[in-house]
Amino acid sequence: MTNDDQKNKTTNQTILNVSSVSNIRNLYRLSLLGITISSLTFLGFLSFLLANYYAPYQLNDLSRKLETKNQSQNEYQSNNDLTNISDDFIMDGLSQEQKDVELPVSKERFTFLILPNEFKEYVELKKQLINDPDNSELQAKLRTLDVVLREDFFQRRHNASQYSFLLLFSGVLLIFFAKTTAVLNRRLTAANVQIESQGQRRHIKNLEQKAIFVGIAFLGALAIGMTFGLWLSGRSELETFLSKKLDEVESSVLTPAKDNHLNIKNEQQANEPLSSPPQDIVINEEPNVDPRERDSFLKIWNQNWPTFRGPFQCGVLRKPSHRLSETDLQSINSTENQYPLTWNIETNENILWKSPIPLDGHNSPIVWGERIFLSGANETERKVFCFHTKTGALIWMTEIPVSPEGTGPLNLNHETGFAPSTMVTDGQRVYAIFPNGDLVALDFDGKIIWQKGFGIPENNYGFTASLALWFDRVIIQFDVDSFKINGESSETKETMSEKKSESKLVAVKGEDGTILWETSRPDAKGSWGSPIVQCIGETDQIVLMGDPYLAAYNPENGQELWRYSGFRSDVTPTPIVVDSTVYAVNESQFFAALNATGTGELAETDHFLWKAQSSGLPNTASPLPFLDRIFLLAENGTLTGLDVEKQESFCELFVDEGDSFYASPVLIDHYIYLFSKSSDEPNAYIIDANKLTPENVNLDMLDLTEAENALIAKIPLAQPIFASPTLKDGVLVIRDQNNLWGIGQSQK
């Protein structure tokens, strides 16, 4: 290689190295600039977030800001033709007198962490109004304060969401630029290239200036974009606010309807029925039996459908047993069926009546005599309804006020709703419980007798447990992750907002609401099944499921009798009792059978009988007994049959591809009735259980159609069914989203 070639190669390498070092230096300086900007952005959003949490204020300033905002909302509404603006969240719902009210200065700190109804000023005003319910000035102050605090609460929660996202984004950028700077710094330190000419230096300097300019422009555009995104998100929130869609993206808030709970002395409708029985309806009353007269009471109890899944709490009309007499077997297999095996919503075949339900709810109807009871609710009102079994007429409805303990935000799943818990009745009174922990008793004319607030239960999907009854006492399974009590009277604010992380089982005297006993369940987490009360052997037992165990309690004093540990996670299906055996199941785990005459922990004893696993375990529907078999209905439509004698499953059949189920099935004679919740084409299915035996079907069969003559009817429904059906005197009562249906043998 000549000297000229060697010189040219050295020159080219020098130029290449100079260019490479220049690029690294440009990136290094750009990274330093990125660190500076992302650090300032991170600190800025951190400051905004802290200010959002920690900000005392004067309530009058908020009131004026709210009124200004409402003017903007009104202009926005007129320009965009929006309707249905909620009065609960804007000042337009207040009179001019209320708008002019001077509010006190709030000295509360960490205001975002305090619920609107927990503010000291709010609690004090509410106490004053209870003592002086006719004071219009106090009413105006409380209403104004309620609107102002709620508006600020939701605005702060929205801000917290936005600031947290931006804080996280800027933090990620800061880490990225810091890591990049460290890597580039090591490369610059390792490089040792001599730059020989002034022209090369000027060239590098020009490149550096261009790189810095491009970096600043890029980061500036990023900052402008983030700011615009924040503004756009706020605009979207305003539109959501105006169209009443806030409940779809935020936790729903249960607010008192027109402050009835604050002024029930003067609001007659707060404890009186809102309607009277139609004049042309004659109601045949059941004999009035005191629940304390146990033998007489049980006889009438078994003739009605007074609680979730009927008198035996397993979806059957007669007491279930694996050892039925020949007479009972003949009755089951009789060809005379009191209930229809088909109906048609288009032609009204076997449709006795159809009645609209003013408020939605997923609780199942209960029946005593000729009265059907159910509840309904939304975010602003709650009512109990009484319908007539023969005509479907609405006899009365009563609005239920919100207790002070139950006022506040609710964490609800849309499939849970505001009225998921089935009521219970003792023939003299009817009892209802709502997801905010409010328990209420009404007489058979719809008048509120007493009301008790247990505090707002907090779990993933909302409180759903139905009520049970043991003669003169109401049983409440209050299994929650935690609950918050917003009390009043002499309690301090610290006591009122105290968090308790324990579940409990409670017995309340039906006559006056007195708590007879309360058993703590400190290791039980939130669950969604319901308690049942059955006589097992010679002992009455309250049997219930939860996370992490199935257990039984003495209804006399609440003492735990036995438990079986092993059920975990989202426990929803309610157990059943047949003879002395308890059957329980939970999705993705197993089905278990236990002899419930034991004591203590049954898992390691002879009282644990057997368990089975299946791909068709239910996540909501409860088991259904029939003779020596147990049937399970999974959400995906798999019907699993279990042989009690062989202690194993004998079939897993798809009822119908594409249909899904939440409602627990019922059994009429030897026919199983299923009701689907599919939104497109909901159906009812009637299946002959006599055709589903280990001799007729097996695990190799995949579809119900493979079981010969098992499917009796597939009946289209008007709407999805979430509530379990009810049976009484030949009338099948089903509840869909908007209507109550009475189905029975009739002419078209």
Side-chain angles (χ1 to χ4, degrees), residues 39 82 158 225 315 323 358 463 568 580 596 638:
S39 299
L82 296 176
H158 168 68
R323 301 178 297 273
F463 181 80
R568 300 282 181 181
S580 296
T638 301

Side-chain angles (χ1 to χ4, degrees), residues 276-283 394-395:
S276 300
Q279 297 297 322
D280 57 344
I281 290 182
V282 178
I283 302 174
L394 178 63
I395 300 175

Side-chain angles (χ1 to χ4, degrees), residues 262 266 295 322 333 379 385 670 735:
L262 301 176
N266 295 328
D295 292 338
H322 299 317
N333 295 312
E379 63 273 16
F385 306 100
H670 55 92
R735 175 184 190 166

